[in-house]
Structure formats: C-alpha cells, structure tokens
C-alpha cells in the first residue's frame, strides 16, 4: 500500500506486541515478493534498500525495532 506494487505474500514470519504510553500495537512481519510494479514512495519522500544488518542506523519506532530484532533472530540475518 505504501509502495504502489502488487505482491505475493507468504505465511507470517514474526509477530510482536508493543505498548507505547497511550496505545498498544501488534506488528506482523510477512515475507512477500513483488509481483507487479516498481516500488515508489507513496507515503514518504524517498525509498532506500538496505541490508538487515544496517537497519539499526535508521530512526524508527521501538515496535518496528522489536520486529526487526525478532526477524533477525528467526532468520539469522
């Protein structure tokens, strides 16, 4: 939805719950492959492909960091 592409999805790979001060979220990591289209930034000003090991260099919400840690552990990235 944020990249303007059609994807094929697989079964969920990881799930994390996180409580912020005023709300809670559940994030689910779902592997997918681009089926049609070229990724473009619809919700943001730019896109960048990065290696999983380099994700810690970027600012993001704590819930996203928890999901990334779990995916790295699960897939030994």
């Amino acid at each position: 939805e944020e990249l303007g592409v059609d994807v094929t999805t697989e079964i969920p790979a990881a799930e994390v719950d996180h409580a912020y001060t005023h709300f809670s979220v559940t994030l689910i990591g779902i592997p997918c492959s681009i089926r049609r289209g070229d990724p473009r930034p619809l919700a943001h000003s730019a896109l960048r492909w990065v290696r999983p090991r380099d994700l810690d260099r970027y600012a993001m919400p704590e819930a996203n960091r928890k999901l990334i840690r779990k995916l790295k552990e699960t897939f030994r990235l």
Side-chain angles (χ1 to χ4, degrees), residues 8-53:
T8 301
T9 61
E10 299 179 24
I11 60 170
E15 181 175 317
V16 296
D17 296 315
H18 185 76
Y20 289 102
T21 308
H22 295 83
F23 66 96
S24 296
V25 296
T26 299
L27 297 183
I28 303 170
I30 302 173
C32 63
S33 301
I34 296 173
R35 184 175 44 171
R36 183 177 42 233
D38 295 315
R40 58 190 190 281
L42 299 179
H44 302 283
S45 60
L47 296 177
R48 178 178 293 167
W49 294 106
V50 298
R51 293 181 179 103
R53 68 174 181 250

